[in-house]
Amino acid sequence: MKKKNNKKYIIAFFLILILIFATVLLLNRKNNLIDSLIKNSNYEINSLSCDGTTKVLDKKVLKDIKNNLKDLNNNGPFLGDLNTCYRKIIINYDNDLLDIEIVNKSSIIIKESKNSQYYTYYTNAENLINYLNKYFK
């Protein structure tokens, strides 16, 4: 009986390790894109309000966005209404884009490429949203 219990613990341990490894990889993928954009400086960053007002932003804004990403909680694909206008930060790079949209006071959605079919929904984004809101005034 002890061998069966030991096998269960070993399997559970390896499953936990795999989950931790997968989480780290997902977080690094998002940061790797932003890190490579910052390193290459080959991007333009803009804010877009729902009234159509756009502003070209200083490139340092991307560094501040990167610093706030660690606080976000990934809640998977966004299942809300994409026909609603949300304030956006759009980062254009190498004929592609990174789109960050503010859904409400604590949530954002991110589309990592114009070729992507979905947005990822993030919560716990209050700090990032408070920072970004100054670029829509």
Side-chain angles (χ1 to χ4, degrees), residues 15-51:
L15 287 174
I16 291 170
L17 280 177
I18 290 170
L19 288 173
I20 291 170
F21 184 70
T23 302
V24 168
L25 285 178
L26 287 174
L27 289 175
N28 283 339
R29 189 183 89 184
K30 182 175 44 181
N31 282 336
N32 286 341
L33 171 62
I34 292 177
D35 285 338
S36 68
L37 290 175
I38 291 169
K39 186 184 288 183
N40 294 335
S41 295
N42 191 20
Y43 65 93
E44 181 180 276
I45 185 166
N46 301 288
S47 65
L48 174 62
S49 298
C50 290
D51 64 2

Side-chain angles (χ1 to χ4, degrees), residues 55-71:
K55 290 181 186 176
V56 177
L57 305 179
D58 190 281
K59 289 186 176 188
K60 74 172 183 69
V61 172
L62 188 56
K63 290 180 184 176
D64 294 330
I65 290 172
K66 178 188 177 277
N67 291 335
N68 283 292
L69 288 177
K70 65 184 177 305
D71 298 331

